[in-house]
C-alpha cells in the first residue's frame, strides 16, 4: 500500500536550524510498522534521517516518538493504524518535553536525571539472608506491571505537567519510585515517601491520564502516582495542599454527599496559609461581581446518611 | 427520550449557568430529564476520592448506577470529569462480577443492587449518538456563522479510551467538533484540546495550573478562536475563572470567552443568552454575543 | 584522552555485572556503550535464567550434564562446571539486588521448565526476565556511581606489542573522537545477529565486539555454531520465548499433528533448540508446514494462566502477528537467534591478548559448544561477567598504562574521513540485506558443502561492494548513517569467520548440520575451530574439547 510520512527534521549543523517537515512517499506491506517505514526511508531514500531504534519488538524502549501527535513506540505502531483516513500523511515528530538533538533523536539526560533522583535501587534493611528474601508471589507479581516499564519516555513526552514545569519528577520516575515503595523487601519507604511529598513530587500530577493512554507497556504511571499519594498520606504526610485537598474533598463528600466548593480551597491551603488565602480573594471578588458563586449554604443531599454509612463500611475494610 | 439526570456538584455549585442552560436546551431537544431518581446520588469522587480509596469511589458510583437502574432510565451527565470517573468505575464493576457482588453487599441495606446495565452518557454523546446529527441539525434555528470556536474536551471524556468506549463509538473522538460544525461555527483545531486545563492542581500548584490556562487559551486565541467551548464545568472554572491570572502571568491580553457546551447549543436553538446566564462569566461574553447579534 | 583502570565495552548484563565486580574490587571503572544501558539487547531474553539450587533438590552436576549434552559435547566441561556451580549464588545475588522473580507458594523463587533439561530450574520474571535483570543491574550501576559513556561508539582497540591498552571511541552525539587508556579492557559488546536476515536480534547486534577483538589479535572460536531459535514469529521474525513450550505449548504441523512426539519422544517440544528447529524445518521442507511455518499452540493453558505467565509474548503475537494466542495457534518458524561462538576466552575472561577480556555473548568460553540451552545465556553473562570484572580489576592493580597518546586515533580519524568523502553509491542497507539473506541461505539450519562454497564467494563480492558504501549524512551530530557503515564492516568480518569455520567442520554437531555429512564424528571433531586474523584472511587452528567427567554419548531427546 502507498504510505505518506511527514517527518519533522532538524539538523543543528545546518544553516537552517528551524525544524521543518519533510514528506516521504513509500510502498509498504500491510503488516509494516511505522518503524519499518522509517528504516526504509533511512536505508533506501534518505540516509541523513536520524532516529534511535533497536529491538523492533517493544522491549528496548529506543524508538519512542510522536506519531500523529501522540507518543508511542514506532516499532509497535502499525502503519495501517496510523494512516489518517483523509489520505494525508502520517506525522512523525520527536518525543516531546525533551530537547531535540537531531531529527527524531532527543536528549534523554533530563529523563535519566529524574529517574536517578528517586534513588532507584532496592534498599533493604539489615543483613542479607543467605538465600532469597521470602515474599508472597502476589506481593511480587503486582510489581511486575511496573517492572515491565522499559523507560522509553513516551509518558514523559506527553506529560501535561512537564510541559509547564520541568521540575516535576514525571510519570516514569514516579512509577519507578512506586516500584520500590511497593516492594516488601525495600525498607526506605519513610525516606522515599517524604521526598515524594515535596514539590515536584506526587502532588503535582494533574491526573490527566495522558501517561496511562500513551504507555506502550501498560504500566499506568498515573495509577502508580495515585497509589503513592495514598501511601504518602498513610505515612502521615498530611501537611501539603495536595493531602489537605484530598482530605477536605473526601470529608465534604462524607459529610454532605457532594462537594463544598467554598470550603475546599480554604481547607486545601490550610487555614493558616494567609498568603494563599489572600491569593484567592481576587477570584472571589471577580466571581462575586459576575454573580458566579456557589451557594453560601452548602446543603446536604437527601438521605446523606446512606452515603455516610457506605463511608464507614468501606473505610473499615481498608 | 428520558434520562436520569446526574448534574454533578459543579453545575449545582460554582457553575449554575451550566445547569440552567442544560434544562433549557434539553427542553427544546426533547430530552426529558428525570431529576428525582438521582436526587440522593452522591458525588462521583472526581478521581480525588479514588486517590484515597478506590473501592469507596466504586461503591458510591455503583449506588448511583443502581438508582438509575431502579428507575429504568439511562443516565445522563453534563460533566467530562463525572463522565470519566463513572465510566472507569463502571468498567471495573462490570468486568469483574465477583467485585460487583461484593460492592453490592454494601448497597443492600439501602435496598439497592447494581446489575451492571447502566452506560453513563454525557449530553455531548447523547446529541451525537442518541439524537443523531440529522435531528440536531433540524432543530438549529440560528446558524452561528463566522464564529470561530476552539474545542476543549477535558481529560476524562477522552481518556482512557478503553473505558470510554471509543472503540465501539469512534465518533466520540470528534464529537465536540461535530457539534461546533452543526451549529454553523468554524472549528479552530489546536493540540491543547485534549490536554489538561490545570483545574485538578489549582490549589496544589497554582503556578502550573495557571500556566496551563495560559498555554491553552493563548494558543487557541492565536489560532484565531473567538471563544472556547467545553463539555466540562471544571475546565470552564479554570479556563474562565483563572484567565485573568493567566493573562497577568503571561503578560498579555487573552480575553477568550469559555462557553459551556449547552450554552453553545442553546444559542443555536435560539435561546436567549441571559436565560443561560451567559452574562455571568468571568471572561465577558458581551463582545462575542454582540458580534453574533444576540447581545444579552 | 581519558584514563581508566578498567574499561568495559558494552552495558548489557555481562558488561554491567563486570562493572559492578570491578567497582567492588576498588579500581576506577568506566563503561562505554553505543546505546544507553537499558537499551541493551539483554532485554530481549524472555524466558529465564538457569540455576540448580540444592535446597530445591537440584544438583549443579545435573545442570552441567544437561548443558554438556545440549552442547552436543562440544562445550568445555571445566568451564561448564564453573558456570553451573556458581549459578545459584548469581541468581540469589540478583534477587538481593532487587530482581522480583516469580515465586512459589512458600514465597521462595519459583521455577519453570525449559528445553533440554530434565528438571525445572529456570528462574524467571514473567516473560521478561532479561529486561528485569538488565534494569536491576542498571540500578546498581547508578547506585555505585560507575561512569558510563552513554552513546559512544568504539572504533578500535589499541594494541601495542600484543597487549591491549585502551580504545578509540567516538561520541555519537558530537562526532568527537577520543582515546581512552585502560589497564584492562573487557569486551562485553554482545552478539552478531544482524549478520543474518532475518534474526531475532536487535539492530544493535552487529558483531562489533567480535570484530574489534579479532582485529586486535584475539581469536574467535566455535563461530560455525549459530543458534536457530525454534519459535520466531512469521514475517517479522520476532522472538516468542521458549517459556511458551516450557509452560506446556504444543508444536503442530499442517496435519494438526504434534510432530515432536515422533522426533523426541521423551522431551517432545522441550528437546534442545537445535533439535526442535531442525524438526520444524524438516516438517516444513517435507510439505507439512503452513506458508513456511508450523504452529505454536498454547490454548489449552487457559487465558488466565497465559496472561499471568506469558503476557508479554501474548502481546507480541497480537502486535506483530495479529494473533491472540489464547484463542488461536500462532504461526512460527526457526529464526537466527544466538552466536554460541565468539572471542575465545578462559573462565576468567582472559583472551589471548593480555589486557583484553571478554564475557557474555561476544565471548566463547565455551560453555555452549554446539548448542546453547535456553536460559543459559543470562547465566553465562552474569557468571563470566563477574569473573572477568574481578580478574580485570586484579590485573589493573598490578600494571600501569601503556604509553599511548592521542595519535592512536589517527587511523580511525582517517578512515572516517575516507568514508565521508566516498562518492560511490552502494547503500549499506542493501549490502547488509544481501549479506544476511546469503548467510541464511547458505549457513542456516541446514548446510551443505557446495552451498557453503557458494555462500563464501557471495561474501567476497559483498565485501568488495562494502568498499563503495555512500554515507549521505556528512554531519557530526548523531550520524547514524556513518555508524551503520562502520557496523557493516564489523558484520562482514564476522560473516567471513562463520563461513570459513562452517566450511571447515566436516561433520554434523549441534547447530552445525550438514545434509551431506549428517553424522557426528567424535573421532575427528571433538575439537573447537579457532579463527584468527592473518593478513586480513581467517586463519584456522584447532583446540581440543575439555572433557572432565562426561564422555560423549549418542544424543537423544
Amino acid at each position: 500500500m502507498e504510505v505518506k510520512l511527514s517527518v519533522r527534521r532538524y539538523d543543528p549543523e545546518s544553516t537552517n536550524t528551524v525544524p521543518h517537515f519533510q514528506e516521504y512517499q513509500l510502498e509498504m506491506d500491510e503488516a509494516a510498522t511505522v518503524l519499518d517505514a522509517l528504516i526504509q526511508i533511512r536505508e533506501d531514500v534518505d540516509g541523513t534521517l536520524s532516529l534511535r531504534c533497536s529491538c523492533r519488538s517493544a522491549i528496548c524502549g529506543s524508538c519512542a516518538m510522536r506519531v500523529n501527535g501522540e507518543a508511542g513506540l514506532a516499532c509497535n505502531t502499525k502503519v495501517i493504524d496510523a494512516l489518517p483516513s483523509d489520505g494525508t500523511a502520517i506525522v512523525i515528530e520527536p518525543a516531546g518535553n525533551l530537547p531535540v538533538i537531531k531529527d527524531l533523536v532527543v536528549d534523554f539526560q533530563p529523563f535519566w536525571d529524574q529517574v536517578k533522583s528517586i534513588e532507584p535501587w532496592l534498599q533493604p534493611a539489615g543483613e542479607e539472608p543467605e538465600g532469597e528474601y521470602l515474599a508472597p508471589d502476589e506481593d511480587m507479581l503486582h510489581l511486575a506491571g511496573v517492572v515491565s516499564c522499559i523507560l522509553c519516555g513516551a509518558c514523559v513526552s506527553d506529560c501535561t505537567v512537564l510541559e509547564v514545569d520541568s521540575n516535576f519528577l514525571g510519570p516514569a520516575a514516579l512509577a519507578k519510585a512506586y516500584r520500590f515503595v511497593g516492594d516488601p523487601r525495600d525498607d526506605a519507604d519513610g525516606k522515599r515517601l517524604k521526598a515524594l511529598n515535596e514539590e515536584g513530587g506526587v502532588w503535582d500530577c494533574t491526573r490527566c491520564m495522558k501517561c496511562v493512554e500513551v504507555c506502550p507497556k501498560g504500566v499506568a504511571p498515573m495509577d502508580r502516582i495515585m497509589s503513592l499519594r495514598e501511601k504518602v498520606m498513610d505515612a502521615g504526610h498530611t501537611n501539603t495542599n495536595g493531602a489537605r485537598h484530598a482530605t477536605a474533598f473526601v470529608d465534604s463528600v462524607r459529610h454532605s454527599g457532594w462537594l463544598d466548593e467554598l470550603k475546599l480551597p480554604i481547607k486545601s491551603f490550610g487555614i493558616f496559609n494567609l498568603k494563599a488565602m489572600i491569593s484567592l480573594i481576587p477570584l472571589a471578588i471577580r466571581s462575586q461581581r459576575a454573580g458566579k458563586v456557589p451557594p453560601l449554604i452548602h446543603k446536604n443531599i437527601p438521605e446523606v446518611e446512606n452515603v455516610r454509612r457506605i463511608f464507614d463500611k468501606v473505610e473499615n475494610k481498608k | 427520550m428520558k434520562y436520569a439526570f446526574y448534574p454533578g456538584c459543579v453545575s449545582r455549585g460554582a457553575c449554575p449557568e451550566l445547569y440552567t442552560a442544560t434544562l433549557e436546551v434539553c427542553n427544546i431537544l426533547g430530552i426529558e430529564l428525570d431529576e428525582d431518581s438521582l436526587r440522593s446520588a452522591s458525588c462521583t469522587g472526581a478521581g480525588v476520592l479514588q486517590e484515597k480509596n478506590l473501592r469507596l469511589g466504586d461503591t458510591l458510583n455503583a449506588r448511583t448506577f443502581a438508582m438509575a437502574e431502579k428507575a429504568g432510565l439511562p443516565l445522563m451527565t453534563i460533566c467530562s470529569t463525572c463522565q470519566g470517573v463513572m465510566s472507569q468505575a463502571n468498567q471495573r464493576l462490570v468486568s469483574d462480577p465477583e467485585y460487583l457482588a461484593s460492592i453490592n453487599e454494601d448497597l443492600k441495606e439501602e435496598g439497592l443492587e447494581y446489575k451492571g446495565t447502566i452506560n453513563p452518557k454525557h449530553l455531548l454523546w447523547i446529541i451525537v449518538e442518541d439524537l443523531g446529527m440529522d435531528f440536531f441539525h433540524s432543530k438549529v434555528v440560528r446558524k452561528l456563522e463566522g464564529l470561530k470556536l476552539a474545542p476543549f474536551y477535558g481529560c476524562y471524556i477522552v481518556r482512557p479510551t478503553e473505558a470510554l468506549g471509543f472503540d465501539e463509538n469512534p465518533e466520540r473522538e470528534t464529537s465536540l467538533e461535530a457539534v461546533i460544525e452543526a451549529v454553523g461555527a468554524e472549528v479552530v483545531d489546536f493540540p491543547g484540546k485534549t490536554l489538561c486545563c490545570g483545574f485538578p492542581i489549582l490549589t496544589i500548584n497554582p503556578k502550573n495550573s495557571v500556566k496551563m490556562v495560559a498555554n491553552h487559551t493563548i494558543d487557541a486565541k492565536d489560532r484565531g478562536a473567538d471563544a472556547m467551548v467545553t463539555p466540562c464545568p471544571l475546565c470552564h472554572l479554570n479556563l474562565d475563572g483563572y484567565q485573568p491570572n493567566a493573562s497577568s502571568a503571561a503578560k498579555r491580553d487573552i480575553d477568550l470567552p469559555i462557553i459551556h457546551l449547552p450554552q453553545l447549543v442553546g444559542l443555536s436553538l435560539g435561546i436567549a443568552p441571559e436565560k443561560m446566564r451567559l452574562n455571568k462569566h468571568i471572561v465577558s461574553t458581551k463582545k462575542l454575543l454582540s458580534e453574533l447579534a444576540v447581545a444579552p | 584522552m581519558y584514563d581508566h583502570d578498567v574499561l568495559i565495552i558494552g552495558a548489557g548484563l555481562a558488561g554491567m555485572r563486570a562493572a559492578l565486580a570491578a567497582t567492588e574490587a576498588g579500581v576506577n571503572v568506566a563503561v562505554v556503550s553505543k546505546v544507553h544501558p537499558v537499551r541493551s539487547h539483554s532485554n530481549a531474553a524472555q524466558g529465564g535464567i538457569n540455576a540448580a539450587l540444592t535446597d530445591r533438590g537440584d544438583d549443579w552436576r545435573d545442570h552441567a550434564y544437561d548443558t554438556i549434552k545440549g552442547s552436543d559435547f562440544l562445550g568445555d566441561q571445566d568451564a561448564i562446571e564453573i558456570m553451573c556451580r556458581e549459578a545459584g549464588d548469581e541468581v540469589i545475588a540478583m534477587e538481593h539486588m532487587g530482581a522480583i522473580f516469580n515465586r512459589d507458594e512458600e514465597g521462595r523463587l519459583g521455577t519453570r521448565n525449559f528445553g533440554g533439561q530434565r528438571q525445572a530450574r529456570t528462574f524467571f520474571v514473567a516473560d521478561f526476565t532479561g529486561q528485569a535483570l538488565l534494569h536491576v543491574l542498571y540500578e546498581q550501576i547508578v547506585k555505585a556511581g560507575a561512569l558510563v559513556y552513554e552513546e559512544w561508539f568504539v572504533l578500535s582497540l589499541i594494541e601495542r606489542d600484543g597487549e591491549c591498552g585502551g580504545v578509540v571511541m567516538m561520541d555519537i552525539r558530537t562526532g568527537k573522537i577520543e582515546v581512552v587508556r585502560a589497564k584492562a579492557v573487557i569486551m562485553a559488546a554482545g552478539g552478531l545477529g544482524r549478520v543474518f536476515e532475518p534474526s531475532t536480534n536487535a539492530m544493535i547486534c552487529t558483531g562489533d565486539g567480535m570484530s574489534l577483538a579479532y582485529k586486535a589479535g584475539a581469536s574467535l572460536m566455535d563461530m560455525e555454531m549459530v543458534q536457530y531459535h525454534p519459535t520466531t514469529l512469521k514475517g517479522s521474525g520476532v522472538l516468542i520465548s521458549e517459556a511458551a513450550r516450557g509452560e506446556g505449548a504444543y508444536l503442530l504441523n499442517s496435519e494438526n499433528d504434534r510432530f515432536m512426539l515422533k522426533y523426541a519422544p521423551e522431551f517432545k517440544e522441550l528437546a534442545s533448540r537445535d533439535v526442535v528447529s531442525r524438526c520444524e524445518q524438516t516438517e516444513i521442507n517435507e510439505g507439512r508446514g503452513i506458508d513456511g511455518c508450523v504452529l505454536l499452540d498454547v490454548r489449552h493453558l487457559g487465558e488466565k494462566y497465559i496472561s499471568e505467565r506469558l503476557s508479554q509474548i501474548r502481546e507480541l503475537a497480537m502486535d506483530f502477528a495479529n494473533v491472540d494466542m489464547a484463542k488461536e495457534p500462532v504461526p512460527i518458524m526457526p529464526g537466527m537467534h544466538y552466536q554460541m561462538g565468539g572471542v575465545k576466552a578462559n573462565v576468567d575472561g582472559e583472551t589471548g591478548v593480555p589486557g583484553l577480556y571478554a564475557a557474555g555473548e561476544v565471548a566463547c568460553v565455551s560453555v555452549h559448544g554446539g548448542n546453547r540451552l535456553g536460559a543459559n545465556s543470562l547465566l553465562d553473562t552474569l557468571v563470566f561477567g563477574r569473573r572477568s570484572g574481578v580478574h580485570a580489576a586484579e590485573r589493573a592493580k598490578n600494571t600501569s598504562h601503556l604509553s599511548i597518546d592521542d595519535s592512536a586515533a589517527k587511523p580511525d580519524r582517517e578512515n572516517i574521513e575516507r568514508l565521508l568523502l566516498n562518492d560511490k553509491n552502494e547503500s549499506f542497507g542493501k549490502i547488509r540485506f544481501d549479506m544476511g539473506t546469503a548467510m541464511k541461505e547458505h549457513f542456516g539450519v541446514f548446510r551443505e558443502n557446495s552451498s557453503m562454497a557458494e555462500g563464501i564467494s557471495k561474501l567476497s563480492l559483498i565485501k568488495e561492494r562494502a568498499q563503495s558504501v555512500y554515507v549521505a549524512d556528512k554531519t557530526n551530530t548523531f550520524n547514524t548513517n556513518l555508524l551503520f557503515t562502520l557496523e557493516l564492516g564489523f558484520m562482514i568480518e564476522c560473516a567471513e569467520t562463520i563461513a570459513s569455520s562452517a566450511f571447515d567442520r566436516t561433520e554434523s554437531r549441534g547447530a552445525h548440520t550438514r545434509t551431506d555429512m549428517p553424522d557426528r564424528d567424535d573421532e575427528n571433531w571433538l575439537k573447537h575451530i579457532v579463527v584468527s586474523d592473518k593478513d586480513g584472511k581467517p586463519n584456522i587452528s584447532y583446540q581440543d574439547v575439555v572433557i572432565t567427567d562426561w564422555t560423549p554419548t549418542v544424543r537423544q531427546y
Side-chain angles (χ1 to χ4, degrees), chain A residues 13 52 56 102 133 179, chain C residues 96 98 103 151 201 473 477:
Chain A
E13 295 175 39
R52 289 192 186 97
R56 298 165 297 143
K102 181 184 184 184
Y133 289 98
R179 177 252 167 279
Chain C
H96 287 171
R103 311 240 159 191
E151 300 193 316
N201 284 196
D473 192 343
T477 315

Side-chain angles (χ1 to χ4, degrees), chain C residues 343-355:
Chain C
V343 181
K344 182 175 177 298
N346 67 14
V347 293
D348 292 320
E350 291 173 304
T351 67
V353 178

Side-chain angles (χ1 to χ4, degrees), chain A residues 255 301-310 312, chain B residues 63:
Chain A
H255 178 78
I301 57 167
E303 296 156 55
V304 69
E305 59 280 5
N306 286 324
V307 171
R308 292 182 192 156
R309 194 180 53 241
I310 287 175
D312 290 340
Chain B
R63 177 172 171 269

Side-chain angles (χ1 to χ4, degrees), chain C residues 347-546:
Chain C
V347 293
D348 292 320
E350 291 173 304
T351 67
V353 178
L356 179 64
Y357 295 75
E361 187 173 350
V362 78
C364 176
V365 180
S366 135
V367 284
H368 308 306
N371 170 69
R372 174 176 67 76
L373 290 187
N376 263 358
S377 62
L378 292 182
L379 180 58
D380 169 11
T381 62
L382 294 179
V383 169
F384 296 108
R386 175 176 46 76
R387 295 180 68 102
S388 302
V390 169
H391 214 79
E394 210 44 52
R395 175 189 158 87
K397 285 178 185 168
N398 299 309
T399 43
S400 43
H401 286 296
L402 301 181
S403 81
I404 292 167
D405 60 26
D406 191 61
S407 66
K410 197 164 168 250
D412 288 308
R413 288 205 173 97
E414 285 170 359
N415 183 41
I416 286 175
E417 216 161 285
R418 184 184 60 81
L419 287 172
L420 291 174
L421 285 175
N422 203 345
D423 58 355
K424 312 267 179 37
N425 60 356
E426 285 280 3
S427 107
F428 76 86
K430 183 82 178 60
I431 299 180
R432 194 207 65 85
F433 185 83
D434 291 348
M435 171 188 65
T437 39
M439 291 302 285
K440 180 200 152 132
E441 192 181 340
H442 304 291
F443 302 95
V445 176
F446 291 112
R447 299 168 174 175
E448 186 268 328
N449 196 60
S450 60
S451 163
M452 286 193 285
E454 194 189 332
I456 288 172
S457 57
K458 278 186 190 171
L459 277 181
S460 65
L461 281 176
I462 283 164
K463 196 173 183 179
E464 194 63 37
R465 280 168 61 198
Q467 296 301 310
S468 314
V469 172
Y470 177 65
V471 182
D473 192 343
K474 308 293 183 195
T475 67
N476 292 312
T477 315
F478 231 95
N479 188 341
T480 47
N481 199 186
L482 174 65
L483 299 187
F484 298 144
T485 308
L486 294 165
E487 286 171 345
L488 180 65
F490 295 149
M491 285 188 276
I492 291 175
E493 206 128 38
C494 292
E496 271 191 314
T497 61
I498 293 169
S500 51
S501 304
F503 192 71
D504 194 62
R505 186 175 283 277
T506 51
E507 62 155 356
S508 287
R509 181 184 299 271
H512 176 70
T513 310
R514 295 182 61 144
T515 50
D516 52 348
M517 293 173 188
D519 297 325
R520 197 174 84 191
D521 176 4
D522 285 348
E523 204 165 309
N524 295 303
W525 280 108
L526 265 178
K527 58 188 181 191
H528 302 284
I529 295 177
V530 180
V531 201
S532 55
D533 176 57
K534 198 176 176 197
D535 309 322
K537 288 253 184 295
N539 179 52
I540 285 178
S541 59
Y542 303 97
Q543 178 174 308
D544 284 340
V545 172
V546 178

Side-chain angles (χ1 to χ4, degrees), chain C residues 1-3 157-161 163-168 178-183 185 400-410:
Chain C
M1 204 167 76
Y2 308 120
D3 280 350
L157 301 183
I158 304 171
E159 175 260 341
R160 293 284 180 270
D161 304 323
E163 270 191 60
C164 178
V167 312
V168 181
E178 284 283 353
V179 168
V180 185
R181 291 199 305 177
K183 296 171 187 168
V185 172
S400 43
H401 286 296
L402 301 181
S403 81
I404 292 167
D405 60 26
D406 191 61
S407 66
K410 197 164 168 250

Side-chain angles (χ1 to χ4, degrees), chain A residues 7-12 14-22 92-94 100-104:
Chain A
V7 183
R8 196 166 90 179
R9 304 293 310 267
Y10 167 69
D11 173 8
S14 145
T15 46
N16 173 19
T17 50
V18 181
H20 62 282
F21 283 91
Q22 190 165 345
I92 310 287
E93 295 166 281
V100 179
I101 295 175
K102 181 184 184 184
D103 294 341
L104 302 172

Side-chain angles (χ1 to χ4, degrees), chain C residues 10 31 63 83 98 107 140 191 218 220 248 251 261 310 325 351 469 499 548:
Chain C
V31 182
H63 180 194
M83 179 176 80
Q140 295 298 312
L220 304 180
L251 286 170
L261 300 183
L310 303 168
M325 294 175 72
T351 67
V469 172
T548 56

Side-chain angles (χ1 to χ4, degrees), chain A residues 253 310-311 314 317, chain B residues 42-66 82 84-96 99-107 113-114:
Chain A
V253 179
I310 287 175
F311 266 80
V314 181
K317 283 187 184 143
Chain B
S42 71
C43 168
T44 63
V48 182
L49 186 139
Q50 280 76 1
E51 279 168 29
K52 287 202 109 174
N53 195 331
L54 188 65
R55 188 191 168 93
L56 179 57
D58 287 347
T59 311
L60 292 177
N61 284 303
R63 177 172 171 269
T64 305
F65 300 153
C82 294
V85 173
M86 283 183 164
S87 291
Q88 290 174 52
N90 203 27
Q91 190 190 32
R92 282 187 293 271
L93 294 166
V94 174
S95 67
D96 187 347
Y99 182 55
L100 178 58
S102 78
I103 296 272
N104 274 328
E105 275 302 306
D106 291 334
L107 301 180
E113 185 197 354
Y114 179 44

